[in-house]
Amino acid sequence: MSKTENKTFSFDPLGYYAILGVAYNAEEEEIKQNYREKAKVLHPDRNPDENALEKFQKLSVAYDVLKDETSRLIYDLMAQAHPKESFPDINALKAYKNRSGEEDISVRALVLRQVTGKIVKFSDVENYEICNFKEAQTAVLLASVSNWFLGWWHPKAFGKNVQALIENIKGINANRQDNFTLLTHNAVAYWEDSKKEQALLSALQAGSYANAYQKGLLNKFIAMLNVRTSVKLPVWNWGRLKALQLIVPAVLVLTVLLSLSTRVMTDSELAKYFAKKNEITYFQQVQFRTGGETVDDMVVGRIIDLPADPQDTRLLYHTKTETKAMHGPSDDFDVMTTLKPRQTVRMTGYTPDNIWYRVQIDNGEMGFVRAEFLAKGVGAKIPDGSKIYTGPEL
């Protein structure tokens, strides 16, 4: 099957009605009457013309097709589906298959224009696809990616590529005749192959692309099939196929916007930001010497958090001497506990001025220790069951 655009369609592509001298909507009796009259004139026994036999044979073929209601209906349907120049052998039809080579009642015809610039030359082609919806999504996306990335590399290709991108989006379901041809052809092909249910489903879908006259023929064909189906007609989401073609420009625009508005902040810049903005990122129950407790973030202050990964050794510190761990980042807070010399702890945060480190001890509790009292690395052996480190023995 090829694209049917710009091809001439006729109600009588093989000239059967013309041979009998009747219109395509002639009554059965008129067809019979005209055949009898012309047969008398063209019969070789009565007509001495050297071409009489050939003309009589053509008359007989035409009459054999049009005198029978079923064969005439099939001829009329195929006349609406195929132009004269590519009219198929009605008695040897094969159903069009999907891209995987399988019979598929959900197939449609897609026309995707693809422009490829090659610096010194370019190509501008229309790819004609017969596919199901899943295959269509792949074909549409690939064509869009190709046009967006390869369609600009030639002065003449630039303008044509703009046209192609617009046509592919706006015309994704505009080739109605192609789809009527495809589905009607398949309906007849399935009927000839005694696959009545597939014929019915194809004919029902063809009706979505048919004009009033074509719908009348399809309704006669469906009635002739005399079969019912519980299979749900496939639905094509044409809006999704349009949206797929906008993915590439959307990603390109987003990438440009991100490159203009985003950069990575260094640790020192991050610390300055928190100090300047007075941001609160840490909340902790605070106990005072005078008694009572609070979780007021304005009392706790600003803390820059660090990930507490019990498998990571990079944030392990140890005390230089016996050191007090406070409930908050100030000497005004109560003492939470006293740490032994060389006791290993995990650093989980720090104040923007780097004076106080928030540390985790073996039982999982967290307190604050002045940075000057800590040294990086493991000190005394970490006891079994400690929550600050659960990796291999150090």
Side-chain angles (χ1 to χ4, degrees):
M1 179 178 174
S2 60
K3 188 182 176 188
T4 56
E5 185 179 354
N6 298 326
K7 293 185 178 180
T8 303
F9 286 83
S10 167
F11 288 98
D12 190 20
L14 300 185
Y16 291 161
Y17 288 101
I19 292 172
L20 288 164
V22 297
Y24 71 91
N25 57 353
E27 297 292 336
E28 181 180 349
E29 186 58 37
E30 183 182 0
I31 292 174
K32 289 181 179 179
Q33 182 63 35
N34 279 30
Y35 170 71
R36 294 191 189 100
E37 292 177 359
K38 289 184 176 292
K40 293 177 182 178
V41 175
L42 295 177
H43 198 285
D45 292 342
R46 297 183 180 182
N47 192 330
D49 192 312
E50 60 180 11
N51 295 323
L53 177 59
E54 180 183 354
K55 291 178 179 180
F56 182 77
Q57 288 175 337
K58 288 182 178 181
L59 178 69
S60 298
V61 170
Y63 181 63
D64 285 342
V65 171
L66 300 185
K67 72 177 180 180
D68 180 77
E69 184 178 358
T70 299
S71 61
R72 180 182 179 182
L73 173 61
I74 298 303
Y75 175 68
D76 289 344
L77 268 176
M78 296 305 291
Q80 293 297 301
H82 290 285
K84 179 179 180 179
E85 55 268 30
S86 58
F87 199 84
D89 181 353
I90 295 180
N91 298 314
L93 293 179
K94 298 295 182 183
Y96 294 114
K97 301 178 180 180
N98 62 25
R99 296 179 81 186
S100 301
E102 301 170 342
E103 288 188 354
D104 192 335
I105 62 165
S106 68
V107 289
R108 293 291 190 278
L110 292 182
V111 180
L112 296 169
R113 185 176 172 186
Q114 192 166 333
V115 178
T116 304
K118 303 176 182 178
I119 309 300
V120 296
K121 59 181 180 178
F122 72 95
S123 61
D124 182 1
V125 298
E126 284 188 336
N127 294 321
Y128 186 83
E129 303 279 357
I130 295 178
C131 50
N132 58 36
F133 185 70
K134 183 178 180 181
E135 294 170 335
Q137 293 181 91
T138 301
V140 166
L141 187 57
L142 289 177
S144 177
V145 169
S146 177
N147 283 353
W148 279 104
F149 288 103
L150 302 178
W152 314 106
W153 307 108
H154 189 279
K156 292 184 179 180
F158 192 95
K160 292 184 178 295
N161 194 38
V162 172
Q163 294 175 353
L165 290 168
I166 295 173
E167 287 178 10
N168 286 351
I169 293 173
K170 295 179 66 176
I172 191 65
N173 190 28
N175 55 324
R176 299 182 61 83
Q177 180 61 52
D178 289 319
N179 280 304
F180 175 80
T181 295
L182 168 64
L183 294 166
T184 301
H185 176 104
N186 276 8
V188 176
Y190 285 136
W191 168 74
E192 289 186 350
D193 201 22
S194 300
K195 298 176 180 178
K196 288 189 175 182
E197 187 175 36
Q198 291 95 319
L200 172 62
L201 292 167
S202 295
L204 289 171
Q205 293 175 86
S208 300
Y209 300 95
N211 59 33
Y213 172 70
Q214 293 164 347
K215 286 182 179 179
L217 294 176
L218 286 170
N219 288 337
K220 290 181 180 179
F221 178 78
I222 291 170
M224 180 193 72
L225 291 174
N226 192 28
V227 65
R228 294 183 179 182
T229 180
S230 59
V231 177
K232 188 176 180 180
L233 287 177
V235 177
W236 273 57
N237 189 336
W238 299 101
R240 180 180 296 178
L241 294 183
K242 287 186 177 182
L244 279 174
Q245 299 180 66
L246 299 175
I247 288 179
V248 174
V251 171
L252 292 175
V253 170
L254 182 61
T255 302
V256 171
L257 292 176
L258 289 175
S259 67
L260 294 176
S261 63
T262 306
R263 69 185 184 89
V264 178
M265 298 179 70
T266 63
D267 288 342
S268 61
E269 288 174 327
L270 187 62
K272 291 178 182 178
Y273 169 81
F274 278 104
K276 181 179 179 181
K277 295 294 183 181
N278 200 32
E279 295 286 342
I280 305 301
T281 62
Y282 176 72
F283 299 85
Q284 175 178 291
Q285 185 182 39
V286 181
Q287 297 178 356
F288 296 96
R289 293 177 184 172
T290 55
E293 60 186 32
T294 182
V295 290
D296 189 345
D297 53 10
M298 296 304 291
V299 175
V300 176
R302 301 177 300 278
I303 300 298
I304 297 174
D305 290 315
L306 296 173
D309 182 359
Q311 300 286 325
D312 188 3
T313 61
R314 292 175 297 176
L315 294 178
L316 293 179
Y317 284 73
H318 65 273
T319 55
K320 297 178 181 177
T321 61
E322 184 176 273
T323 305
K324 296 183 184 300
M326 315 299 287
H327 279 288
S330 170
D331 291 324
D332 293 331
F333 288 88
D334 254 0
V335 175
M336 184 185 78
T337 188
T338 299
L339 305 178
K340 298 178 182 179
R342 295 188 59 76
Q343 180 174 340
T344 303
V345 296
R346 174 174 294 283
M347 180 181 175
T348 64
Y350 60 93
T351 57
D353 55 12
N354 281 304
I355 294 177
W356 290 88
Y357 284 0
R358 186 180 65 195
V359 300
Q360 183 184 38
I361 60 178
D362 293 321
N363 64 6
E365 293 183 352
M366 295 190 192
F368 290 85
V369 177
R370 283 186 173 271
E372 60 192 274
F373 299 147
L374 295 173
K376 192 171 181 61
V378 178
K381 181 181 178 181
I382 301 173
D384 294 338
S386 172
K387 295 184 179 180
I388 67 171
Y389 180 72
T390 59
E393 186 176 349
L394 299 174

